[in-house]
Amino acid sequence: MLPLSSTGPGGTSLLTALFTSTSAVCVTGLVVVDTSTHWSAFGEGVILVLIQLGGLGIMTFASLLGLLVWRRLGLRSRLTAAAETKAVGLGDVRSVVRGVVITSLVFEAITAALLAARFALGYDEPWDRAAYLGLFHAVSAFNNAGFALWSDSLTPFVTDPYICLPVAFAVIAGGLGFPVWLELHKHVRQPRRWSMHTQMTLAATAGLLVAGAVFVTANEWSNPGTLGALDPPGRLLAGFFHGVMPRTAGFNSVDYGAMRDGTLLATEILMFIGGGSAGTAGGIKVTTFVLLFLVIWAEVRGDRDVEAFERRIGDRTIRQALTIALLGVAAVVASTLVLLEVSEQTTEAVLFEAVSAFATVGLSTGITADLPASGQLVLTALMFLGRLGPITLVSALALRERPTLHRLPEGRPIIG
């Protein structure tokens, strides 16, 4: 809110400052003012710091909670887990924090260097300005924040692979999660030693990236408002880029408001699924989505157990996945209903905005700034809930498990 943070006189209102701060620290990317024109260099620096602290904090928080839940708090199970996996030393919190910080800084440094070189050599930006642009967008990309220093995001670079591809790969890297990178670092040449979580995350991420890119490219190929205005190589690049961005990144190189309804619906599905656990991506997470699919597959086949990657998945894990998914649906539906009541926007636009906020994506059809104050407060709460809710809820469910000494007789209500 400080006058120093904005370019205009009088500073920024409380609601705008609150919305922007929440969007930054929750690494979402939704905005109610133009980042490139409203905020001063100091204000952009505040946003950058919030993005970095939010991304590091979420990855560290989620990794430590996952470690805590995984080891079950009991000494015997902690020793057993440590002996079986050899992934993280017993109680070595510092190694987790150090690993998260190093992983983040390495990916951000590589992306920043590539972008800075391109801005300086390809767009004649002074090296100091190019370095700043590279750093800002590298941090925003790896942390899946989606903040950009141009009014139309990355639309000016829609056909430039030297800008779009580093941003896209930084988004993918941040969305995989620290536990996956830790295992890949230790056992990169030994896939058989990868845990079920790593195998499931990599397989699901690859499948969703390919499916998303193919669908967006095919559905928007002839749309003159999006890919149809580009040459074939540009269409392929933009299609891939927009297949990656629903991993909860929030950048765009074409106008989402001009996309076809089918593309918007597919984007909403991809946003709701999100990325990997203990990463910078939001959503219900790819592992939750895969577990739900496996439950349906096992039930259709009549299998007694839900199995994947030569392992049986426990009933409690399945119930946690169902809980996260259904509560996520409830949060999006309830927020959509409230937004429809307080605004005059269409159902399609409001639903897209609600999913984007809950999944901490930041993609928008352009209605965020037009929502009333009450609607912006709803999105603010939804961003915070979507960022911390799934992590906290799953950890609470796992840690409060208690043994029971009896079981009630089984009942079978009629289903369907």
Side-chain angles (χ1 to χ4, degrees), residues 181-196:
W181 285 113
L182 176 64
E183 283 205 54
L184 292 179
H185 175 69
K186 290 196 171 188
H187 309 299
V188 64
R189 298 182 180 180
Q190 299 172 300
R192 290 185 174 275
R193 300 188 64 182
W194 294 351
S195 67
M196 174 189 284

Side-chain angles (χ1 to χ4, degrees), residues 107-119 134 137-144 154 157 160-174 237 240-241 244-245 249 251:
F107 279 108
E108 289 171 358
I110 294 174
T111 307
L114 293 174
L115 293 178
R118 181 57 178 170
F119 287 132
H137 293 91
V139 172
S140 183
F142 179 77
N143 290 287
N144 281 218
L154 298 184
F157 314 103
D160 189 344
Y162 300 103
I163 298 294
C164 292
L165 291 182
V167 169
F169 288 122
V171 167
I172 296 171
L237 176 62
F240 170 75
F241 188 79
V244 173
M245 290 308 111
F251 294 105

Side-chain angles (χ1 to χ4, degrees), residues 349-394:
V350 167
L351 177 61
F352 190 93
E353 211 77 6
V355 174
S356 181
F358 171 77
T360 67
V361 181
L363 294 176
S364 174
T365 55
I367 69 168
T368 312
D370 298 329
L371 292 174
S374 56
Q376 293 178 9
L377 286 174
V378 169
L379 292 182
T380 301
L382 199 55
M383 287 188 290
F384 192 82
L385 174 65
R387 181 69 276 180
L388 290 180
I391 301 171
T392 308
L393 179 60
V394 168

Side-chain angles (χ1 to χ4, degrees), residues 75 189 305 335 344 382:
L75 179 59
R189 298 182 180 180
D305 298 318
S335 301
E344 298 180 356
L382 199 55

Side-chain angles (χ1 to χ4, degrees), residues 68 76 147 186 191 198 339 379 385 409:
L68 185 67
R76 177 179 299 176
F147 280 88
K186 290 196 171 188
T198 295
L339 291 173
L379 292 182
L385 174 65

Side-chain angles (χ1 to χ4, degrees), residues 234-277:
R235 296 181 193 182
L236 293 175
L237 176 62
F240 170 75
F241 188 79
H242 287 277
V244 173
M245 290 308 111
R247 313 310 304 153
T248 82
F251 294 105
N252 64 282
S253 61
V254 297
D255 183 10
Y256 263 93
M259 284 190 171
R260 291 170 173 161
D261 291 342
T263 307
L264 293 179
L265 179 59
T267 301
E268 289 167 2
I269 295 172
L270 292 172
M271 290 192 299
F272 187 76
I273 295 172
S277 299

Side-chain angles (χ1 to χ4, degrees), residues 92-412:
D92 194 358
V93 173
R94 287 181 298 178
S95 68
V96 173
V97 177
R98 188 187 307 115
V100 168
V101 172
I102 292 175
T103 301
S104 300
L105 294 182
V106 166
F107 279 108
E108 289 171 358
I110 294 174
T111 307
L114 293 174
L115 293 178
R118 181 57 178 170
F119 287 132
L121 301 177
Y123 296 93
D124 296 325
E125 293 281 359
W127 274 104
D128 56 344
R129 175 65 177 172
Y132 173 67
L133 291 174
L135 175 64
F136 188 97
H137 293 91
V139 172
S140 183
F142 179 77
N143 290 287
N144 281 218
F147 280 88
L149 295 181
W150 292 274
S151 300
D152 48 0
S153 192
L154 298 184
T155 301
F157 314 103
V158 59
T159 58
D160 189 344
Y162 300 103
I163 298 294
C164 292
L165 291 182
V167 169
F169 288 122
V171 167
I172 296 171
L176 287 178
F178 172 70
V180 173
W181 285 113
L182 176 64
E183 283 205 54
L184 292 179
H185 175 69
K186 290 196 171 188
H187 309 299
V188 64
R189 298 182 180 180
Q190 299 172 300
R192 290 185 174 275
R193 300 188 64 182
W194 294 351
S195 67
M196 174 189 284
H197 171 77
T198 295
Q199 295 181 67
M200 190 177 291
T201 300
L202 292 175
T205 298
L208 291 172
L209 285 174
V210 171
V214 170
F215 184 86
V216 171
T217 303
N219 209 43
E220 296 294 322
W221 188 267
S222 59
N223 184 353
T226 56
L227 305 190
L230 308 174
D231 58 11
R235 296 181 193 182
L236 293 175
L237 176 62
F240 170 75
F241 188 79
H242 287 277
V244 173
M245 290 308 111
R247 313 310 304 153
T248 82
F251 294 105
N252 64 282
S253 61
V254 297
D255 183 10
Y256 263 93
M259 284 190 171
R260 291 170 173 161
D261 291 342
T263 307
L264 293 179
L265 179 59
T267 301
E268 289 167 2
I269 295 172
L270 292 172
M271 290 192 299
F272 187 76
I273 295 172
S277 299
T280 57
I284 63 171
K285 304 299 187 292
V286 292
T287 46
T288 304
F289 172 73
V290 173
L291 280 179
L292 297 179
F293 174 80
L294 293 174
V295 169
I296 296 173
W297 182 248
E299 192 64 27
V300 169
R301 288 167 51 92
D303 294 338
R304 179 179 179 179
D305 298 318
V306 178
E307 300 174 346
F309 302 102
E310 300 180 352
R311 292 290 187 273
R312 175 176 56 84
I313 299 172
D315 293 339
R316 186 166 182 81
T317 303
I318 294 171
R319 293 200 301 271
Q320 291 171 4
L322 288 169
T323 302
I324 290 296
L326 292 179
L327 287 179
V329 171
V332 169
V333 171
S335 301
T336 301
L337 289 174
V338 173
L339 291 173
L340 287 174
E341 292 298 321
V342 301
S343 70
E344 298 180 356
Q345 303 293 336
T346 64
T347 303
E348 293 81 2
V350 167
L351 177 61
F352 190 93
E353 211 77 6
V355 174
S356 181
F358 171 77
T360 67
V361 181
L363 294 176
S364 174
T365 55
I367 69 168
T368 312
D370 298 329
L371 292 174
S374 56
Q376 293 178 9
L377 286 174
V378 169
L379 292 182
T380 301
L382 199 55
M383 287 188 290
F384 192 82
L385 174 65
R387 181 69 276 180
L388 290 180
I391 301 171
T392 308
L393 179 60
V394 168
S395 302
L397 291 175
L399 292 173
R400 71 188 298 269
E401 181 179 7
R402 59 182 185 271
T404 56
L405 303 180
H406 69 280
R407 298 182 71 184
L408 296 175
E410 182 177 344
R412 284 182 174 267

